[in-house]
Amino acid sequence: MDYRSTINLPKTDFPMRAGLPQLEPNIQARWEAMRIYEKVQARTRGRPKFVLHDGPPYANGDIHVGHALNKVLKDIIVRSRSQMGYDAPYVPGFDTHGMPIEHAVITKKGVDRRAVGEVAFRDLCREWAHQYIERQTAQFKRLGVRGDWEHPYVTLDPAYEAEQIKVFGEMAKRGYIYRGKKVIYWSPTAETALADAEIEYREKRSPSIYVKFDVVDGKGKLTTSDAIVIWTTTPWTLPANQAVTLHPDYRYGLYETKRGRLVIARELAEAFQSTTGIALRDEVAQFKGAELEYVQLKHPFYDRIVPVVLGDHVTLDAGTGAVHTAPGHGEEDYDVGVRYNLPLLSPIDERGVFTDEAPGFAGLFYDDANKVITAKLEESGHLLHLGFIKHQYPHDWRTKQPVIYRIAEQWFASIDGFRQTMLSAIEDVRWIPPWGETRIANMVRDRGDWCISRQRAWGVPIPIFYCEDCGKPIVTDETIDHVADVFRREGSNSWFARPARELLPEGFRCPHCGGVHFRKETDTMDVWFDSGSSHAAVLRTRPELKWPADVYLEGADQYRGWFNSSLSTSVAVFGRAPYETVIGCGFVMDGEGRKMSKSLGNVVDPNDVMARYGADILRLWVASVDYTADVRISEAIMQQIAEVYRKIRNTFRFLLGNLYDFDPAKDVVPKERWPELDRYVYARLKQIGERVFRAYEAYDFHAVYTEIHQFCVQDLSAFYLDVTKDRMYTRLPDDGARRSGQSFMYEALKALVIWIGPIIPHTAEEVWSYLPGEKAESVQLVDFPRYTLTEEDRARLKAFEPLLRVRDEVQKALEEARRVKTIGNSLEAHVHLYPNEQTAQALAAYGPLEELFIVSKLTVHPPGTDPGDGAHCGHGVSVRVEVAPGKKCERCWMVLEDVGTAPEHPTLCVRCAETVAALRARQT
């Protein structure tokens, strides 16, 4: 007789294979149709506000895997906070101004910026930005990122620009904005000034030259036969040389050489000889640097006298201890130049080409001039050695080309005006990881004034006017408010489309001289000022948000970027940081820990990953890594994550299969009537729930991933679901023990799906749709279940520890019995346990041990009984395995001595025979 129809085998339409690339777009379309973001916000309205402020990605290309890491982390935070009792709106942002879009329009569209005019050119840039806003929006939504995508904040929006102007005006009002001539980073390729945040260091090959400066007035210390030697890797800056700097406290020696008597720092004498091959014979004299102050030297190729000056920035790391000083081409040189009132010469134009102020080199690109200058030094006899070195050198992070230091008149924000307030504000912020606090504090502590002006057309103009009658700059509350109002109505294009008179209040006169003729500033603001104003332009203007934000989360490069510029503008205007917590992420590397690059062929495209695996696999990878450090991704890693996903999915499927005939409205068994095993795994579920909640609170998503994965694989699949198969499959459908198991499975499945929803929302939504009983329209519309372990739960967890240890030992013994072919599977076994006293007490307190160990018969012998030879021993118990007496029941597969005792069912055990009889009676 075929008894298969009498078994409660799992049944579900939930597919084993996810097919995420096809499934997810359908789920997203459903979310779109039901307007899930609005429904979530409506459900959580009135709760405590939690705001994660989005650092805007730059709208000039498709998203990369770093974007995916960033946006998924943010989405996990927002989703989890919405289900943890908060109102957590998410307004995505886009950064849209600056050189990369200008460059793209010029090169990819073939536009001549000057020919089309500024307004038309800016319109083309705006169109380009909007094109990529649309593309990136679609790609972020494909990742499953939930947010107000219909109303993002965009830095080119008129309302945003107006608020940015007001931030600038407030800083100017407080005296933090000034125009000055200072040495700044300059990008010859982009023809614009750069801020610290726009600099990256890359390897560069540079000439390394040793040059002697002849003494013309030794001030009684040196003679005109002597020379001081400098070392430099930038020969092109020598036309701007105005001094040679020594450290006041270093000891310098005057040495006899074949090239004359040379002054070199004594500690570098040996390295100098090794590098140049010039032997330093007799040391004629010795001086402290301070003794040589104001010694007069002759420039090596110009008719220019340059003094010896002193500076603490001189080091003994390399060179000669004497530094060639060009105040127009270096920050420290500039400081020395100001202190000694040296000429601030910078004979380089915005293209990096020498001007007429550098006789003999005018018209040469600065890098090309290195050879010409070196040859001139060789010709004059001042070049002592020429070599080449590879070193880290500042580059423009957009064009990837070297930058130069160049003195220029620019607009600056005076960091000195609020540096100490910034440092205090940093201490009030929670930094994750904690070293982020030290990093940004050091940056702020050492930072120079912020150069905020850029020589670009595509940007927010600096709202300053100049009186053409007296020449003075004008920025007042009245002019700022008026420009902000114009921008709010018409956008910043109005600055370029209208004459100055129309951008000023009617009847406005110069506050300095009463003049009525004005011109506009032509520079635009640093794009970091754009995005750094977002806290004011977004958080303080949108009613669903709040200021300060609870969290800023970005890559670790943003300690000098957005975290820093946001802090600067917020402290300058409002006196505190715009965020309560800052989370810094690592960078995404390939599987071998290398930086991704097209040349290495190791770039992982998130759009490709989603097309092949699905967004949930990519999101699960994000949750699996320690994102506060650099993370790795590769095909092998994605396959491992897909395997983890498969195990979690199969656990959900198995739970659903066991709930096919379960109606929560009428079949739930009260927990006080659950068997001890069910109460134990429920206590484990509660324990996992506490840990998951704490992990979400701490932004520790790796812990969430680990807890849920291990619970599914170890506690459920490898233990509970295996142990309870007999009662779930072979009992009557409404048997109390079976309904108890279903009650726990329903509780566990619902909790797990809700908890994992922020990480793999598409799969969670799919599982939710198969969950039996009445439920919310979406898994996103329910809160996390909150569990608190009771003392009874803790006692039960502790009581089960020895039982689980015994179970491990039994499984080892069973495996050995299978290996030697004593048994085929565990249900053929009769297990004998020989426990010690403590283990015996734990076993005695538990009921159906056969179920726990999945064997047909189990005998517990009194403590002290000799197990005999060949027993497996460990953890307070010895285990012997024999073949169970009796026959195999055709229905439950247990080997029992009562099989065949029921005449109507000769192949069944008594229990199964009674169950089949009861089923038949119900059918009739």
Side-chain angles (χ1 to χ4, degrees):
M1 186 173 178
D2 188 354
Y3 293 105
R4 281 179 296 182
S5 63
T6 70
I7 302 293
N8 308 310
L9 292 175
K11 302 171 191 174
T12 180
D13 293 331
F14 183 76
M16 181 180 294
R17 296 180 64 85
L20 293 174
Q22 295 75 41
L23 173 73
E24 289 169 345
N26 294 331
I27 291 176
Q28 290 170 0
R30 178 172 173 263
W31 288 340
E32 196 90 27
M34 67 187 288
R35 303 191 71 80
I36 188 64
Y37 177 77
E38 288 83 352
K39 288 198 172 184
V40 168
Q41 290 311 113
R43 186 181 80 88
T44 60
R45 189 174 295 121
R47 291 178 169 185
K49 192 78 74 175
F50 179 94
V51 173
L52 180 148
H53 184 39
D54 190 28
Y58 196 68
N60 186 37
D62 293 321
I63 68 170
H64 52 67
V65 72
H67 287 125
L69 175 72
N70 178 286
K71 275 293 194 288
V72 169
L73 286 171
K74 291 174 180 175
D75 192 51
I76 292 173
I77 291 173
V78 171
R79 285 175 179 270
S80 60
R81 283 309 196 274
S82 290
Q83 294 180 274
M84 291 166 68
Y86 294 94
D87 173 8
Y90 176 61
V91 176
F94 293 95
D95 196 8
T96 53
H97 289 125
M99 186 274 294
I101 288 178
E102 272 200 28
H103 183 70
V105 170
I106 291 168
T107 57
K108 296 180 181 178
K109 285 185 169 286
V111 174
D112 184 336
R113 165 182 155 186
R114 291 172 177 82
V116 300
E118 284 181 317
V119 174
F121 180 73
R122 285 170 56 85
D123 286 340
L124 290 170
C125 290
R126 180 178 289 101
E127 289 172 15
W128 184 273
H130 275 299
Q131 169 192 344
Y132 278 99
I133 288 171
E134 290 178 15
R135 287 178 66 149
Q136 289 185 1
T137 295
Q139 291 163 357
F140 287 138
K141 289 169 77 173
R142 178 63 189 88
L143 274 170
V145 179
R146 186 184 76 201
D148 193 357
W149 292 107
E150 293 181 11
H151 309 98
Y153 80 86
V154 181
T155 59
L156 59 73
D157 283 347
Y160 187 103
E161 293 176 329
E163 293 302 320
Q164 182 177 332
I165 293 298
K166 293 176 78 170
V167 169
F168 177 90
E170 190 61 32
M171 290 178 69
K173 179 180 177 180
R174 295 172 184 234
Y176 298 144
I177 303 295
Y178 71 92
R179 188 165 178 82
K181 200 171 187 181
K182 291 185 69 173
V183 171
I184 55 171
Y185 287 117
W186 188 273
S187 172
T189 48
E191 298 183 25
T192 187
L194 298 175
D196 290 353
E198 296 171 299
I199 297 300
E200 64 181 17
Y201 282 82
R202 304 163 71 90
E203 189 172 78
K204 182 179 184 292
R205 183 175 182 267
S206 298
S208 168
I209 63 171
Y210 289 81
V211 181
K212 67 173 187 170
F213 279 62
D214 296 328
V215 174
V216 294
D217 181 356
K219 302 298 181 183
K221 301 292 184 182
L222 300 173
T223 73
T224 54
S225 301
D226 303 331
I228 294 179
V229 182
I230 65 95
W231 170 72
T232 183
T233 58
T234 55
W236 64 268
T237 60
L238 281 167
N241 174 273
Q242 302 295 333
V244 170
T245 305
L246 307 182
H247 194 287
D249 300 325
Y250 292 168
R251 304 297 300 186
Y252 293 84
L254 176 62
Y255 299 93
E256 290 279 6
T257 77
K258 64 182 181 182
R259 300 297 300 269
R261 301 204 311 178
L262 305 178
V263 174
I264 293 166
R266 300 183 80 233
E267 287 190 42
L268 293 169
E270 188 176 333
F272 173 81
Q273 292 181 95
S274 174
T275 301
T276 65
I278 298 173
L280 303 179
R281 296 193 285 267
D282 299 330
E283 187 179 52
V284 177
Q286 210 185 105
F287 312 95
K288 277 186 71 172
E291 296 178 65
L292 301 180
E293 187 177 21
Y294 298 117
V295 164
Q296 301 293 297
L297 309 174
K298 185 180 184 306
H299 190 282
F301 50 75
Y302 284 150
D303 187 18
R304 180 188 301 161
I305 303 301
V306 300
V308 171
V309 297
L310 304 176
D312 290 336
H313 65 283
V314 179
T315 71
L316 297 174
D317 295 339
T320 66
V323 175
H324 139 61
T325 301
H329 291 303
E331 286 186 283
E332 291 159 331
D333 292 18
Y334 174 84
D335 292 338
V336 169
V338 170
R339 195 162 69 246
Y340 281 91
N341 199 29
L342 301 174
L344 304 178
L345 177 64
S346 184
I348 298 275
D349 69 13
E350 65 276 3
R351 298 168 300 142
V353 173
F354 277 103
T355 66
D356 291 338
E357 290 183 291
F361 309 107
L364 281 175
F365 185 62
Y366 80 94
D367 198 41
D368 297 333
N370 279 329
K371 269 188 183 178
V372 180
I373 289 169
T374 303
K376 194 173 186 69
L377 292 168
E378 178 88 57
E379 179 186 333
S380 68
H382 290 90
L383 182 67
L384 298 180
H385 178 76
L386 166 64
F388 291 90
I389 64 168
K390 287 184 177 179
H391 60 145
Q392 293 295 306
Y393 187 84
H395 285 64
D396 180 342
W397 78 329
R398 296 296 190 187
T399 67
K400 308 303 181 185
Q401 295 301 309
V403 301
I404 61 175
Y405 283 103
R406 174 175 179 260
I407 199 162
E409 200 164 36
Q410 303 285 327
W411 285 100
F412 293 89
S414 172
I415 301 301
D416 280 341
F418 49 90
R419 190 187 309 275
Q420 286 306 314
T421 310
M422 286 176 73
L423 291 170
S424 296
I426 288 168
E427 294 177 358
D428 295 332
V429 174
R430 178 188 178 196
W431 299 90
I432 302 174
W435 54 255
E437 178 175 357
T438 303
R439 185 171 181 182
I440 195 167
N442 287 340
M443 288 178 176
V444 169
R445 196 173 286 113
D446 299 336
R447 182 180 179 186
D449 284 351
W450 179 9
C451 177
I452 60 172
S453 52
R454 295 292 179 272
Q455 292 66 47
R456 313 304 314 169
W458 178 230
V460 176
I462 293 178
I464 289 177
F465 299 89
Y466 297 91
C467 175
E468 293 194 319
D469 296 315
C470 69
K472 291 184 178 179
I474 299 167
V475 53
T476 66
D477 286 350
E478 189 181 8
T479 62
I480 287 294
D481 289 344
H482 193 78
V483 170
D485 288 343
V486 172
F487 281 17
R488 198 180 303 279
R489 294 193 308 270
E490 304 174 23
S492 61
N493 258 15
S494 56
W495 186 267
F496 301 89
R498 289 174 168 232
R501 181 76 262 170
E502 294 181 13
L503 294 165
L504 287 163
E506 189 173 348
F508 183 82
R509 288 181 171 274
C510 173
H512 306 294
C513 71
V516 293
H517 302 98
F518 306 97
R519 62 181 175 86
K520 301 170 290 185
E521 172 60 63
T522 57
D523 285 354
T524 54
M525 286 192 220
D526 173 15
V527 291
W528 290 110
F529 202 103
D530 288 20
S531 59
S533 301
S534 63
H535 62 89
V538 181
L539 298 179
R540 296 179 74 93
T541 62
R542 293 187 64 148
E544 74 271 31
L545 304 178
K546 71 181 180 74
W547 185 98
D550 291 279
V551 172
Y552 274 36
L553 182 153
E554 298 301 330
D557 56 334
Q558 298 307 312
Y559 287 106
R560 67 188 179 102
W562 191 56
F563 296 159
N564 210 317
S565 63
S566 299
L567 180 70
S568 299
T569 55
S570 182
V571 168
V573 175
F574 303 114
R576 63 149 295 162
Y579 35 64
E580 302 283 0
T581 297
V582 172
I583 304 174
C585 310
F587 297 104
V588 183
M589 306 296 183
D590 72 5
E592 297 177 24
R594 299 174 302 176
K595 187 176 180 180
M596 291 188 186
S597 72
K598 291 180 181 177
S599 61
L600 289 175
N602 63 348
V603 174
V604 175
D605 184 345
N607 297 302
D608 177 57
V609 173
M610 288 189 286
R612 294 170 57 230
Y613 288 99
D616 273 4
I617 304 299
L618 192 58
R619 294 176 66 104
L620 195 61
W621 164 76
V622 170
S624 75
V625 299
D626 176 9
Y627 64 84
T628 61
D630 289 347
V631 301
R632 298 185 181 193
I633 189 169
S634 66
E635 179 63 23
I637 290 171
M638 294 313 298
Q639 288 177 3
Q640 292 168 10
I641 295 297
E643 179 61 20
V644 170
Y645 172 85
R646 185 185 68 78
K647 289 178 179 177
I648 294 172
R649 183 181 182 87
N650 283 348
T651 302
F652 290 166
R653 185 172 186 270
F654 197 80
L655 290 167
L656 285 170
N658 275 299
L659 294 172
Y660 73 91
D661 63 341
F662 181 77
D663 181 356
K666 62 183 182 64
D667 294 330
V668 167
V669 176
K671 294 179 178 64
E672 59 270 17
R673 286 168 40 198
W674 287 7
E676 195 63 20
L677 176 64
D678 297 4
R679 294 188 186 193
Y680 162 72
V681 287
Y682 179 59
R684 278 288 292 141
L685 179 71
K686 292 167 76 172
Q687 189 177 50
I688 297 302
E690 284 189 344
R691 293 173 180 173
V692 164
F693 199 92
R694 286 198 302 269
Y696 271 123
E697 279 188 320
Y699 310 108
D700 186 359
F701 310 126
H702 173 73
V704 176
Y705 162 89
T706 301
E707 292 288 348
I708 292 177
H709 174 222
Q710 290 183 348
F711 186 73
C712 286
V713 173
Q714 296 175 9
D715 293 80
L716 294 181
S717 294
F719 176 56
Y720 181 77
L721 298 180
D722 198 26
V723 164
T724 56
K725 279 180 180 176
D726 179 74
R727 72 161 126 136
M728 298 306 297
Y729 294 179
T730 66
R731 304 282 183 103
L732 287 169
D734 57 356
D735 177 85
R738 180 170 182 270
R739 290 300 192 206
S740 170
Q742 287 180 313
S743 298
F744 166 72
M745 291 181 190
Y746 174 75
E747 178 102 16
L749 177 60
K750 187 165 67 169
L752 289 167
V753 169
I754 296 170
W755 288 334
I756 208 167
I759 295 172
I760 48 173
H762 307 91
T763 301
E765 197 72 79
E766 181 190 13
V767 175
W768 188 259
S769 69
Y770 286 88
L771 196 70
E774 291 292 322
K775 53 186 179 285
E777 187 180 7
S778 166
V779 69
Q780 300 175 59
L781 298 174
V782 292
D783 285 342
F784 284 169
R786 293 295 305 270
Y787 294 114
T788 301
L789 283 172
T790 64
E791 287 305 312
E792 183 182 355
D793 293 325
R794 296 183 195 282
R796 185 168 285 115
L797 290 169
K798 189 170 183 59
F800 256 80
E801 290 175 4
L803 292 174
L804 296 176
R805 286 196 293 269
V806 172
R807 186 172 186 271
D808 287 342
E809 300 305 326
V810 169
Q811 287 182 320
K812 291 174 186 175
L814 290 170
E815 183 58 36
E816 177 61 19
R818 274 192 291 268
R819 189 186 69 79
V820 299
K821 300 192 171 14
T822 301
I823 59 171
N825 65 62
S826 66
L827 287 178
E828 296 176 12
H830 174 191
V831 169
H832 294 266
L833 297 182
Y834 301 86
N836 61 21
E837 192 69 47
Q838 186 177 1
T839 303
Q841 291 176 12
L843 292 169
Y846 185 76
L849 289 170
E850 286 84 359
E851 178 189 56
L852 187 64
F853 301 132
I854 318 179
V855 296
S856 292
K857 187 172 183 180
L858 186 135
T859 302
V860 181
H861 296 272
T865 305
D866 183 6
D869 296 334
H872 172 85
C873 302
H875 283 108
V877 69
S878 295
V879 184
R880 290 179 62 85
V881 178
E882 297 177 350
V883 175
K887 297 178 183 178
K888 179 180 177 181
C889 173
E890 181 183 350
R891 184 169 178 273
C892 70
W893 294 6
M894 294 185 76
V895 177
L896 300 169
E897 294 178 85
D898 65 1
V899 172
T901 57
E904 290 187 16
H905 304 286
T907 61
L908 301 188
C909 65
V910 170
R911 187 192 61 173
C912 283
E914 291 173 350
T915 301
V916 170
L919 286 170
R920 286 185 174 176
R922 292 181 182 184
Q923 291 170 359
T924 59

